[in-house]
């Protein structure tokens, strides 16, 4: 009896499971009045936010292959990521020398003491890279290092990219002979028909005894748009495909630092790499500062987007703050200098001239400046006064700039407030009306950080559904929400690479991939539209969301439909007031079998959008959104 009862429940469970995947929910009706615009869509709605977290720049976007290139990262031995290399009976030791360095900024180096070596038995060091070093066939790598020999007869340094498993040199070069003073040595490594792999390291060896000091060992693969000191091509291409309008820089917590000394001190990130001291990021590792302020700006230029510049405002994460008043003035002046560096005339302003000297005479466009980051954490209550001091000084010199506050204020009305939301999908589903009735006479809103936090190291399809639902809400409210940027954007998926779970783009040394939400966000941004028409929906049930926008100049209507349920959702779509709807249109569809399904570094394109043609469209047509799906319908008006 009990046996057959149990068997029966199994059958029932199986039927229920099948039904959940196929049964349709009741039909919804969406009425859209295309001739009744509610408001314009903010053209800058979707942008990017990044910071040095999860090895976003070093070991991520920034092209550098050598890890701990300046010997400022520390492990127990002080020489993290470096190991000794020797052939035959060569002998060498290594240690950090805090008394020798190539510049004031880099006053430390690696001391190699070569006790035994000859041209056939060399000794030196090797660097493991950021979880390996990507080597590809027929590729030119540009490298350099700073070195000094104990005597003038140490000879050259032999540099090679070596495969970890075979020990084979995949490309090699020989430097000029070392001298007894610090010099920069440049080299080129060119591979032939080698196999693409990341299981490689960089090796530097000498065939002579004596002491050698090394610093700033660098190796770059080809970069996006061939920028010197530039960015990884695959990741930049992924960013470009998101159709962003701006880059919020340089953070996030990274702007503030754990302490005031560890803030993003932009002046220390300019100029030759040898003059950049590097600094500890609040995510617990050393930032090379190779991606400094000018590189951030060039990154915006390469993507043809605008910077949203966040300036340090006198508060750091562990609670230290600079009270408003004379003590804060140097930070205000620093922000004014920074704005001048970004926008100043190269001939008539001091910092514009510095920028020009560094190779970029043209000013960068700037509309928004953000004062601090998440200053609601400042329990001292000093933000009100700090914001006012920055606001007054910046507006006096740059009245055209829009100033963003990072916490609610009582005394000053900021131009824009930066709101941050990190939620689970169900929380976002319940949150979509948040801005519908918000005050339209107050500051504009910048959702400077937001994400559905489900899935790790990159988010899953359930998160994409939460994100897409939230994006429909932001589009509907884009008269108020002028900009929005997801965070964090990047994660190095290797063990130890992640400090924050739930990220959008994952990578290792060799390749990168987008989470399902990466595609949802790209779809929303590509088919943005310019105005929101009046619309109403009935019968949509739970966890179904939509946004409708129009671009009259292009003769397009964009319907974004999000079905976060396990049942297909039929919908009757009625459009009025736009003449004729063309019979053919386009469907871009992103869907999954269940919310946990995801993309990974090993299965990078399991969930990607599919484009198909739509037929038999008219001003009233029926469409079914599959279970667990985010769709964009592009309709043409005639
Ligand atoms: O995005 C990760 C962190 O979340 C940001 O650095 C910070 O601004 C927020 O708390």
């Amino acid at each position: 009896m009990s046996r057959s009862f149990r068997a029966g429940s199994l059958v029932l469970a199986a039927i229920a499971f099948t039904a959940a995947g196929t049964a349709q929910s009741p039909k919804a009706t969406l009425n859209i009045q295309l001739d009744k615009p509610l408001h314009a869509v903010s053209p800058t709605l979707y942008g990017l936010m990044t910071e040095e977290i999860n090895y976003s720049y070093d070991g991520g976007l920034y092209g550098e292959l050598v890890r701990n290139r300046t010997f400022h990262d520390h492990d127990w031995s002080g020489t993290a990521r470096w190991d000794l290399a020797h052939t035959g009976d060569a002998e060498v030791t290594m240690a950090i020398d805090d008394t020798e360095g190539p510049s004031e900024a880099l006053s430390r180096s690696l001391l190699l003491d070569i006790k035994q070596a000859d041209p056939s038995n060399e000794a030196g060091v090797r660097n493991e890279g950021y979880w390996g070093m990507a080597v590809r066939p027929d590729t030119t790598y540009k490298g350099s290092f700073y070195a000094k020999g104990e005597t003038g007869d140490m000879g050259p340094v032999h540099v090679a990219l070596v495969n970890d498993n075979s020990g084979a040199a995949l490309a090699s070069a020989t430097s000029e002979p070392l001298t007894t003073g610090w010099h920069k040595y440049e080299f080129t490594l060119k591979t032939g028909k080698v196999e693409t792999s990341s299981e490689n390291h960089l090796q530097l060896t000498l065939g002579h005894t004596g002491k050698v000091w090394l610093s700033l060992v660098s190796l770059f693969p080809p970069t996006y748009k061939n920028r010197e000191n530039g960015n990884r091509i695959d990741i930049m291409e992924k960013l470009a495909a998101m159709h962003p309008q701006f880059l919020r820089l340089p953070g996030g917590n990274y702007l503030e630092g754990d302490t005031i000394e560890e803030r993003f001190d932009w002046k220390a990130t300019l100029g030759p790499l040898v003059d950049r001291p590097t600094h500890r990021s609040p995510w617990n590792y050393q930032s090379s500062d190779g991606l400094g302020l000018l590189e951030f700006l060039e990154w915006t230029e390469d993507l043809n987007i605008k910077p949203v510049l966040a300036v340090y405002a006198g508060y750091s994460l562990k609670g230290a703050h600079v009270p408003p008043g004379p003590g804060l003035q140097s930070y205000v002046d620093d922000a004014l200098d920074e704005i001048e560096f970004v926008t100043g005339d190269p001939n008539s302003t001091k910092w514009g001239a510095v920028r020009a000297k560094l190779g970029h005479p043209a000013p960068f466009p700037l509309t928004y400046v953000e004062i601090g980051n998440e200053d609601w954490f400042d329990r001292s209550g000093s933000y009100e006064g700090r914001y006012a001091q920055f606001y007054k000084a910046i507006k006096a010199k740059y009245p055209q700039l829009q100033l963003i506050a990072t916490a609610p204020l009582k005394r000053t009305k900021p131009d824009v407030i930066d709101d941050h939301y990190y939620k689970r999908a169900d929380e976002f589903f319940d949150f979509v009306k948040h801005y519908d009735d918000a005050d339209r006479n107050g500051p504009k809103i910048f959702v400077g950080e937001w994400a559905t936090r489900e899935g790790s190291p990159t988010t899953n399809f359930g998160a994409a559904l939460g994100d897409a639902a939230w994006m429909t809400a932001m589009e509907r409210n884009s008269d108020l929400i002028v900009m929005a940027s997801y965070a964090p954007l990047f994660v190095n998926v290797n063990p130890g690479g992640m400090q924050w779970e739930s990220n959008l783009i994952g990578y290792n040394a060799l390749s990168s991939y987008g989470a399902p939400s990466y595609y949802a966000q790209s779809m929303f941004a590509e088919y943005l539209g310019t105005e929101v028409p009046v619309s109403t929906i009935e019968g949509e049930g739970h966890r179904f969301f939509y946004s409708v926008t129009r671009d009259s100049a292009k003769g397009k209507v964009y319907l974004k439909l999000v079905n976060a349920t396990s049942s297909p959702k039929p919908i009757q779509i009625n459009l009025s007031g736009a003449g004729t709807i063309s019979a053919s249109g386009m469907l871009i569809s992103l869907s999954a079998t269940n919310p946990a399904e995801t993309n990974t570094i090993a299965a990078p394109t399991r969930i990607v959008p599919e484009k198909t043609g739509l037929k038999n469209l008219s001003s009233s047509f029926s469409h079914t959104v599959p279970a667990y799906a985010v769709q964009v319908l592009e309709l043409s008006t005639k």
Side-chain angles (χ1 to χ4, degrees):
M1 185 64 188
S2 78
R3 197 185 153 93
S4 65
F5 173 73
R6 284 173 60 189
S9 3
L10 277 180
V11 172
L12 280 178
I15 289 169
F17 179 76
T18 310
T22 52
Q24 288 204 347
S25 59
K27 194 168 192 176
T29 305
L30 174 59
N31 294 312
I32 304 163
Q33 293 175 272
L34 291 169
D35 54 347
K36 293 203 174 139
L38 270 177
H39 58 78
V41 174
S42 170
T44 54
L45 187 59
Y46 296 118
L48 306 172
M49 184 271 168
T50 70
E51 62 178 317
E52 187 54 281
I53 181 176
N54 299 328
Y55 293 86
S56 284
Y57 307 146
D58 294 341
L61 180 73
Y62 182 52
E64 177 64 82
L65 296 178
V66 179
R67 188 163 177 186
N68 189 16
R69 67 185 181 185
T70 63
F71 308 101
H72 280 70
D73 301 5
H74 273 279
D75 63 355
W76 61 271
S77 68
T79 54
R81 312 302 164 190
W82 292 90
D83 287 302
L84 294 174
H86 22 55
T87 46
D89 60 355
E91 263 185 62
V92 58
T93 60
M94 66 177 172
I96 296 293
D97 186 344
D98 281 315
T99 67
E100 271 290 351
S103 64
E104 206 183 312
L106 300 181
S107 55
R108 151 193 309 172
S109 58
L110 183 74
L111 169 59
L112 294 179
D113 193 355
I114 304 173
K115 298 277 188 232
Q116 193 164 318
D118 59 54
S120 319
N121 298 294
E122 298 206 332
V125 277
R126 62 172 202 263
N127 183 269
E128 67 187 41
Y130 291 93
W131 295 274
M133 269 185 204
V135 174
R136 296 171 214 277
D138 301 317
T139 305
T140 301
Y141 298 80
K142 287 188 186 156
S144 60
F145 59 87
Y146 285 74
K148 162 182 159 149
E150 181 183 24
T151 55
D153 59 354
M154 301 283 304
V157 174
H158 294 117
V159 191
L161 269 169
V162 179
N163 183 268
D164 295 345
N165 303 316
S166 66
L170 307 174
S172 53
T174 302
S175 76
E176 292 293 310
L178 300 190
T179 67
T180 53
W182 277 105
H183 285 294
K184 182 180 183 183
Y185 297 86
E186 292 182 312
F187 60 89
T188 297
L189 295 173
K190 188 158 175 13
T191 56
K193 304 278 171 236
V194 299
E195 247 178 58
T196 298
S197 110
S198 63
E199 293 172 344
N200 309 292
H201 58 269
L202 182 71
Q203 186 167 289
L204 294 95
T205 53
L206 290 96
H208 199 283
T209 55
K211 289 182 179 162
V212 176
W213 289 263
L214 269 183
S215 182
L216 192 47
V217 184
S218 175
L219 186 67
F220 272 80
T223 57
Y224 191 70
K225 300 206 171 170
N226 290 320
R227 281 243 185 236
E228 203 180 315
N229 195 40
N231 294 332
R232 238 172 93 159
I233 295 170
D234 59 331
I235 301 179
M236 283 296 275
E237 285 175 348
K238 284 200 172 53
L239 296 182
M242 287 182 77
H243 305 277
Q245 298 300 320
F246 65 88
L247 172 67
R248 174 178 176 232
L249 64 93
N253 290 358
Y254 186 55
L255 170 74
E256 305 166 82
D258 270 349
T259 62
I260 296 176
E261 294 67 39
E262 288 179 356
R263 72 192 183 281
F264 183 79
D265 184 3
W266 66 274
K267 285 176 183 161
T269 71
L270 297 182
L273 298 179
V274 74
D275 295 328
R276 303 185 194 187
T278 79
H279 80 287
R280 184 186 161 276
S281 90
W283 299 102
N284 269 326
Y285 57 95
Q286 195 76 8
S287 171
S288 74
D289 286 328
L291 208 156
L293 180 58
L294 184 57
E295 287 79 15
F296 271 110
L297 296 168
E298 288 172 341
W299 168 7
T300 64
E301 186 170 74
D302 286 350
L303 292 181
N304 195 21
I305 62 178
K306 278 185 165 186
V308 171
L309 180 69
V311 297
Y312 179 75
Y315 174 77
S316 290
L317 291 162
K318 286 195 170 155
H321 72 277
V322 186
L328 189 65
Q329 196 51 42
S330 62
Y331 296 94
V332 174
D333 293 341
D334 213 46
L336 292 172
D337 290 349
E338 190 171 4
I339 296 168
E340 189 173 283
F341 180 83
V342 177
T343 63
D345 181 85
N347 302 312
S348 60
T349 67
K350 174 180 165 191
W351 286 100
V354 172
R355 188 193 63 240
K357 202 168 160 214
L358 294 176
H360 204 289
F364 292 90
L366 187 68
T367 306
Y368 293 100
V369 172
E370 177 157 21
I371 297 168
N373 176 59
E374 294 191 339
D375 283 84
W376 66 77
F377 280 116
D378 176 8
R379 305 281 177 237
S380 75
S382 72
Y383 188 58
E384 188 84 48
R386 289 189 287 112
Y387 183 86
Q389 198 169 333
F390 276 85
Y391 184 95
K392 211 170 145 207
I394 296 173
K395 282 281 184 184
K397 197 163 175 198
Y398 302 101
Q400 77 282 10
L401 290 179
Q402 295 285 294
L403 302 186
I404 305 169
T406 75
L409 296 168
K410 292 197 182 79
R411 293 204 299 272
T412 316
K413 181 185 166 197
D415 299 312
V416 182
I417 287 266
D418 181 358
D419 286 342
H420 292 178
Y421 301 111
Y422 291 104
K423 294 181 179 295
R424 303 194 72 80
D426 279 293
E427 292 170 330
F428 264 129
F429 299 154
D430 291 341
F431 196 62
V432 291
K433 294 200 161 63
H434 180 70
Y435 287 110
D436 288 3
D437 299 319
D439 178 12
R440 263 44 188 181
N441 299 311
K444 295 285 186 194
I445 301 294
F446 173 28
V447 185
E449 292 179 30
W450 67 273
T452 305
R453 302 201 65 196
E454 293 185 17
S456 175
T458 47
T459 53
N460 57 28
F461 196 77
L465 291 167
D467 290 346
W470 178 237
M471 285 188 286
T472 64
M474 291 200 289
E475 288 191 0
R476 189 172 59 249
N477 287 287
S478 66
D479 55 328
L480 178 65
I481 302 173
V482 287
M483 296 181 291
S485 43
Y486 182 98
L489 195 60
F490 294 143
V491 62
N492 187 313
V493 299
N494 281 293
M498 180 177 75
Q499 289 84 48
W500 180 284
E501 294 187 343
S502 71
N503 306 285
L504 202 66
I505 296 175
Y507 43 78
N508 58 19
L510 214 49
S511 64
S512 54
Y513 71 99
S517 181
Y518 163 82
Y519 293 105
Q521 292 181 42
S522 306
M523 286 160 58
F524 271 63
E526 182 171 0
Y527 302 97
L528 180 60
T530 55
E531 63 186 34
V532 175
V534 168
S535 66
T536 55
I537 193 163
E538 276 171 22
E540 77 274 30
H542 296 299
R543 301 195 299 283
F544 184 87
F545 309 90
Y546 81 99
S547 159
V548 52
T549 61
R550 182 181 185 189
D551 187 331
S552 312
K554 289 188 185 156
K556 298 289 181 195
V557 176
Y558 304 116
L559 289 181
K560 285 136 183 165
L561 305 173
V562 181
N563 182 4
T565 73
S566 58
S567 308
K569 183 75 187 172
I571 179 163
Q572 180 67 34
I573 297 161
N574 303 319
L575 301 123
S576 64
T580 314
I581 302 291
S582 302
S584 51
M586 177 86 81
L587 172 69
I588 303 98
S589 189
L590 186 73
S591 62
T593 57
N594 75 97
E597 196 179 352
T598 198
N599 293 333
T600 64
I601 196 84
T605 54
R606 192 186 275 133
I607 300 170
V608 292
E610 281 176 17
K611 259 190 196 181
T612 47
L614 286 171
K615 290 197 173 65
N616 303 323
L617 299 173
S618 66
S619 56
S620 183
F621 66 96
S622 200
H623 175 75
T624 297
V625 187
Y628 301 127
V630 178
Q631 296 195 319
V632 178
L633 277 65
E634 184 191 56
L635 314 178
S636 299
T637 55
K638 290 197 272 196

